[in-house]
Amino acid sequence: MDEQVLLFFDKVPDALPLYAELERRILAEYPDTRIKVQKTQISFYNRHLFACVSFAKVRKKADRPDSYIVVTFGLEHRVDSPRIDIATEPYPNRWTHHVLISDLSEIDDELMGWIREAAEFSDRK
């Protein structure tokens, strides 16, 4: 694991296994993915950004678990799912989705399908 990633999770080490599993699954499918660690997010790129991990406050404090990550991805359409905490359309036909993940079981085929679609959408731009 990259030292910058470890520093990103320094204050929330319990969330690191969630990130590690997500990164593992993304790199297994897209081994050429570039990862950029920034102050507030870890971004995944092919030709363009297609997903990121952050600690965005997509729920009220009372509704957020102690340990979580927020996975954000962009698609050309809105996904309607109870798993999507927030979906916005910052540009026409460009939807940004935020999903709070607090358990390894939530990094499942459905989430990875959305990320796959986001990677393909990003690569077409």
Side-chain angles (χ1 to χ4, degrees):
M1 179 96 18
D2 183 287
E3 185 178 328
Q4 289 181 307
V5 171
L6 295 174
L7 286 172
F8 184 86
F9 286 94
D10 189 45
K11 294 181 180 169
V12 284
D14 291 346
L16 182 58
L18 298 170
Y19 171 80
E21 176 62 10
L22 180 70
E23 179 187 276
R24 183 193 70 75
R25 292 204 52 185
I26 289 173
L27 292 178
E29 191 156 342
Y30 300 102
D32 294 332
T33 297
R34 289 174 289 119
I35 299 171
K36 182 178 180 183
V37 180
Q38 299 165 286
K39 186 175 182 176
T40 60
Q41 70 183 37
I42 300 175
S43 304
F44 296 90
Y45 292 86
N46 48 27
R47 289 183 59 209
H48 302 282
L49 173 72
F50 66 87
C52 67
V53 169
S54 71
F55 300 112
K57 293 170 176 52
V58 296
R59 295 182 189 167
K60 293 179 183 177
K61 185 173 176 99
D63 297 331
R64 285 193 312 262
D66 292 334
S67 180
Y68 70 93
I69 59 175
V70 173
V71 178
T72 301
F73 54 89
L75 300 174
E76 59 190 327
H77 62 91
R78 181 184 182 132
V79 173
D80 289 315
S81 168
R83 294 182 69 182
I84 305 289
D85 287 282
I86 298 173
T88 59
E89 188 180 23
Y91 305 102
N93 301 316
R94 170 71 172 160
W95 285 87
T96 302
H97 302 79
H98 304 278
V99 180
L100 188 144
I101 303 292
S102 61
D103 189 86
L104 287 171
S105 66
E106 296 171 315
I107 303 170
D108 58 9
D109 291 342
E110 181 178 46
L111 177 67
M112 295 311 298
W114 293 331
I115 291 173
R116 183 178 311 108
E117 188 178 348
E120 292 167 0
F121 176 54
S122 171
D123 207 35
R124 287 193 310 266
K125 289 194 241 174

